[in-house]
Every structure is written in C-alpha cells, then in structure tokens.
Amino acid sequence: TLAERFRPNANVWFRLPSVDGYDGGVQTSDAWAATFAALTDGPFRPDAPARSQVRLPLDPVRYADLAVRWLVLDTALHPATEAAPGWGDPIASDGSLALFENPAWAGVAWLDDDAEPGSVDRRTALADLRTGRADPEHLELHFAAPEAGRVVVSEQWDRGWAATVDGTPVAVVPAGPLYLGVDVGPGDHVVALRYRTARLGQGLLAAALGGVAALWLAAGSPRPRRRR
C-alpha cells in the first residue's frame, strides 16, 4: 500500500531521494542545514527528522528550490487546505495519507535564469531531458538547452565534482541554495558528472605504501630457529 511504501527508510528501498534524513543515517552538510533551517520555526536540529520541524503551510516554490517533487501528508493531522495550499489535489491516497506532486518542480536539472531566488520564473525547463546513473558517483544528462546559460543539477555541490560537456572538461560551480551548476551553450548537450572524494588519491597511495612497508618488514624479520 502507499502507507507501507512511504514508511521510514522507504527512500532506500525505492531509491527515492528524501529531505528527511532516512537514508541509513543522518548525513547532512552545513549548507543543507542552513538552507533547511529557513523552512522551520527554529531552532533547527539537523540530527532530527526534517518532517517534524517544517513550518506550515508548505510553499511549493521554496520546496522546488530543494528539488522536492513529492509530498506525503497525513491529512488527519494536517488538512491539505491548511498545510499544502497550492499543491493541487492528491494524486494518490491511502486512508489519511495523501500523495501530492509539487506543481513547481522543474526536474532534476534546469536552466537557471537571473531572477531572484525563490521565484519559479528563474527555472527554464530543458527539452528532452534524460538522465542515467551507473553508480552514485556518476551522473549523465542528455538535453536540449533553449539558450545559453547555467544548468543547475539537484546534487549538492562539493569540490569533488568534475564535469564534461560533450566530452570537454568544464568548471563545476555552486548554484542555487545547495546545488551544482555547469555552463552550456544553446542546443543539444551531454553533461557527464563524476564525483571523487577529496584526497582519495592520497589516501589510497598512503594505504598502498603502508601495505608495502608491512610486507617488507615481515619479509625482513628474522625467523626463529627450529630446535632439533
């Protein structure tokens, strides 16, 4: 049922991204906490479920800035007219639980305009957007950009991200409240994003050198003589 599918940790089972922290552990950045704190009455606790701290009513545009597409609402506790005005009618329900789709959601990536943050007008849809993900560290996007601009991808920006546009390396820059962006020209493009943990290479090298040293010490240690 819908109720069972959206229990805590369901986002792991069904690969649903969630702002609620139920992904095997609380793993949030300072930028995420600061951004989400603006949607609560505070003080915000990043180690606690976000759903218990949000301020009502829920603004669909503000949540679209956080790439929130779906809302599961217990209407027995919070009537939809009070908690989610502007979200439209539920697209599914199970008892008092109702599922809404954010009308301001712009997809996993969009072309960012220069309008003020929090304005739905600053997001331009990318035509024929298709995404592929072989693993969590590798994301590929195929799309047609109507004009030159900055493509914002709903992945948290970090220095470990690298990108190519049509095979050419490009800079990855912070964009929006949390996300990463790459600049593209008009037309069809393939953007490939890869993430490598900072200092991963140094850590692997240190581990390899440590292993070699351990083997060298073991090989050079004097062996005890056998008694006859």
Side-chain angles (χ1 to χ4, degrees):
T1 65
L2 174 70
E4 291 300 322
R5 291 181 179 221
F6 283 93
R7 295 304 184 201
N9 287 320
N11 55 321
V12 174
W13 304 332
F14 294 90
R15 298 184 180 181
L16 298 172
S18 169
V19 298
D20 212 6
Y22 286 111
D23 57 357
V26 177
Q27 301 172 5
T28 62
S29 66
D30 289 340
W32 183 92
T35 299
F36 208 87
L39 302 176
T40 71
D41 289 323
F44 177 60
R45 286 188 54 196
D47 60 335
R51 64 182 177 181
S52 63
Q53 304 180 74
V54 296
R55 181 174 61 247
L56 300 178
L58 305 174
D59 182 352
V61 175
R62 296 291 300 276
Y63 281 89
D65 274 345
L66 289 172
V68 171
R69 181 180 183 182
W70 306 106
L71 166 66
V72 180
L73 181 68
D74 189 339
T75 56
L77 297 176
H78 305 288
T81 53
E82 299 176 7
W87 288 74
D89 295 326
I91 63 173
S93 60
D94 185 354
S96 63
L97 289 182
L99 175 67
F100 297 83
E101 184 173 14
N102 190 343
W105 186 71
V108 298
W110 58 88
L111 197 67
D112 193 56
D113 297 331
D114 294 328
E116 289 294 322
S119 168
V120 71
D121 296 332
R122 71 186 184 88
R123 294 185 291 271
T124 299
L126 297 167
D128 302 321
L129 176 62
R130 292 174 290 115
T131 63
R133 190 156 217 157
D135 52 65
E137 291 80 24
H138 180 202
L139 174 63
E140 193 168 277
L141 302 95
H142 301 248
F143 59 85
E147 59 189 29
R150 177 160 294 167
V151 172
V152 178
V153 183
S154 57
E155 292 283 340
Q156 286 199 50
W157 178 85
D158 188 270
R159 296 185 185 277
W161 283 106
T164 61
V165 174
D166 305 324
T168 301
V170 297
V172 180
V173 297
L178 288 173
Y179 300 127
L180 58 84
V182 295
D183 293 334
V184 302
D188 296 335
H189 296 290
V190 177
V191 172
L193 291 157
R194 291 185 180 274
Y195 181 80
R196 288 180 62 86
T197 303
R199 303 184 183 277
L200 176 62
Q202 296 94 317
L204 292 175
L205 178 60
L209 291 175
V212 170
L215 290 174
W216 179 79
L217 290 172
S221 298
R223 298 180 180 177
R225 294 181 180 180
R226 296 176 61 185
R227 293 182 179 179
R228 294 184 181 179

